[in-house]
Amino acid sequence: MNEPKRLLGFYAHPDDEILSPGGTVAQYAQASVPIEWVCATRGEAGQIADPSLATPENLGQVREKEMLCSAQTLGIRQVHFLGYRDSGMAGTADNQHPQAYVNSDPAEVVPRLVEIIRRFRPHVALTFEPWGGYGHPDHITIHQHTHLALKAAADPAYHPELGEAWRVSRLFYPLLRHAFFAALREKIAARNLDVSFFDQLQERRKNGWPDDNYQCVIDIRETFHRKWTAFHCHATQFGAHNLFRQIPEAEMAALLTHEYFALAQPEPEPGLMLDDLFAGLA
Ligand SMILES: [Zn+2]
């Protein structure tokens, strides 16, 4: 009998797990795939949508709870918080904080990731594409550290005391496509609400991953409700006035019927299309 397949996500903030891979994560969890998650920070530089929920001083603790609520909803069995500080958006003062994840030393982070990989032995890993969706410094950093850690984990000569070498079979970048934001912008515009967020986002996403470069599409209609329930766990980030909350769930479900994954490792042959992240893995 084949060994059960395992999935490990490498992300930067509480809420990164929702929009691009959340429905897929819920689907695999439902199929009893063990799933663990790395979260490099507790999102300390995020918003506080409602001052009754958190203060700048305790936002990290509150967002840790929000992440655990989301993980439980999606079916992630363990979240590994690395404990770095949220570096904030590019160009903000938070970038300079000595504990900011963007200023972390890979020589310190990579062995911690290697230990997680070698203990959990995932077959498939997920992380951001190189631009982190929209250039967030922490998204770019976890992308880089993930590549270093996957390589190191597979090398028996690298810190053997961290466990037996393990090669992750596939690394995917879950995508948030321009097409989704364009469709959401239209719905927001139709309600006569401010769409400047989308214009700023489009500017920041210019270096992002092309919409048509993916090797796997997962139909998430069955788990969309779970994904959207997990989204609501992140109450400090997505308050009542958040744009994502101006659209009824059924309409949002119609915009988010599928999740798209680009295969990063091994490099895909042209035209490759997988019907499952684990398809064909021994
Ligand atoms: Zn993030």
Side-chain angles (χ1 to χ4, degrees), residues 178-200:
H178 302 279
F180 162 69
F181 288 112
L184 184 58
R185 185 188 195 280
E186 251 176 61
K187 289 204 174 278
I188 297 290
R191 285 168 167 79
N192 290 318
L193 294 168
D194 181 13
V195 290
S196 55
F197 163 82
F198 294 96
D199 302 331
Q200 290 157 16

Side-chain angles (χ1 to χ4, degrees), residues 95-151:
N95 298 174
Q96 309 304 326
H97 196 286
Q99 258 75 54
Y101 182 48
V102 71
N103 301 321
S104 66
D105 183 355
E108 181 188 287
V109 181
V110 171
R112 296 179 65 191
L113 298 178
V114 167
E115 192 172 20
I116 293 167
I117 294 165
R118 287 184 178 168
R119 187 192 43 71
F120 183 48
R121 300 158 74 88
H123 301 79
V124 167
L126 307 175
T127 193
F128 286 106
E129 44 85 11
W131 183 238
Y134 56 91
H136 194 296
D138 291 332
H139 295 185
I140 295 171
T141 304
I142 191 71
H143 162 88
Q144 292 166 347
H145 289 169
T146 300
H147 275 273
L148 294 173
L150 293 181
K151 189 164 179 238

Side-chain angles (χ1 to χ4, degrees), residues 117 122-123 150-151 153-155 165-169:
I117 294 165
H123 301 79
L150 293 181
K151 189 164 179 238
D155 176 1
W166 178 258
R167 183 175 299 280
V168 175
S169 303

Side-chain angles (χ1 to χ4, degrees), residues 136-280:
H136 194 296
D138 291 332
H139 295 185
I140 295 171
T141 304
I142 191 71
H143 162 88
Q144 292 166 347
H145 289 169
T146 300
H147 275 273
L148 294 173
L150 293 181
K151 189 164 179 238
D155 176 1
Y158 181 88
H159 286 290
E161 78 282 4
L162 297 176
E164 197 185 327
W166 178 258
R167 183 175 299 280
V168 175
S169 303
R170 284 183 189 142
L171 171 66
F172 287 97
Y173 303 147
L175 305 177
L176 257 183
R177 299 164 80 227
H178 302 279
F180 162 69
F181 288 112
L184 184 58
R185 185 188 195 280
E186 251 176 61
K187 289 204 174 278
I188 297 290
R191 285 168 167 79
N192 290 318
L193 294 168
D194 181 13
V195 290
S196 55
F197 163 82
F198 294 96
D199 302 331
Q200 290 157 16
L201 186 68
Q202 197 182 359
E203 189 58 32
R204 291 205 301 261
R205 285 172 54 86
K206 269 190 179 154
N207 303 324
W209 198 263
D211 266 11
D212 56 357
N213 184 359
Y214 56 84
Q215 283 72 36
C216 188
V217 184
I218 305 285
D219 182 335
I220 61 145
R221 282 174 288 188
E222 213 178 288
T223 49
F224 177 81
H225 179 67
R226 202 172 279 265
K227 169 176 170 139
W228 220 233
T229 305
F231 169 83
H232 284 83
C233 288
H234 297 286
T236 58
Q237 303 309 296
F238 302 106
H241 298 292
N242 188 275
L243 283 180
F244 287 92
R245 288 191 52 189
Q246 307 315 311
I247 309 291
E249 179 172 329
E251 274 185 62
M252 197 55 106
L255 292 184
L256 289 169
T257 55
H258 294 78
E259 290 174 348
Y260 296 80
F261 297 82
L263 180 60
Q265 279 184 19
E267 204 178 310
E269 299 288 328
L272 175 75
M273 198 54 73
L274 300 163
D275 44 4
D276 184 76
L277 299 184
F278 298 92

Side-chain angles (χ1 to χ4, degrees), residues 8-104:
L8 178 60
F10 294 88
Y11 282 85
H13 311 112
D15 80 13
D16 290 342
E17 76 286 1
I18 301 291
L19 278 177
S20 48
T24 301
V25 166
Q27 218 136 290
Y28 283 122
Q30 210 161 277
S32 303
V33 171
I35 303 169
E36 295 193 7
W37 216 254
V38 170
C39 193
T41 79
R42 289 180 171 80
E44 295 85 348
Q47 300 171 5
I48 302 177
D50 173 348
S52 74
L53 296 174
T55 63
E57 290 70 36
N58 75 0
L59 182 60
Q61 286 159 275
V62 172
R63 292 195 71 186
E64 176 176 345
K65 288 204 186 86
E66 292 177 347
M67 179 69 212
L68 295 175
C69 162
S70 170
Q72 192 175 28
T73 305
L74 296 176
I76 294 169
R77 70 176 198 183
Q78 196 176 348
V79 181
H80 305 273
F81 290 99
L82 299 184
Y84 293 96
R85 191 175 188 281
D86 187 342
S87 310
M89 301 293 269
T92 60
D94 290 305
N95 298 174
Q96 309 304 326
H97 196 286
Q99 258 75 54
Y101 182 48
V102 71
N103 301 321
S104 66

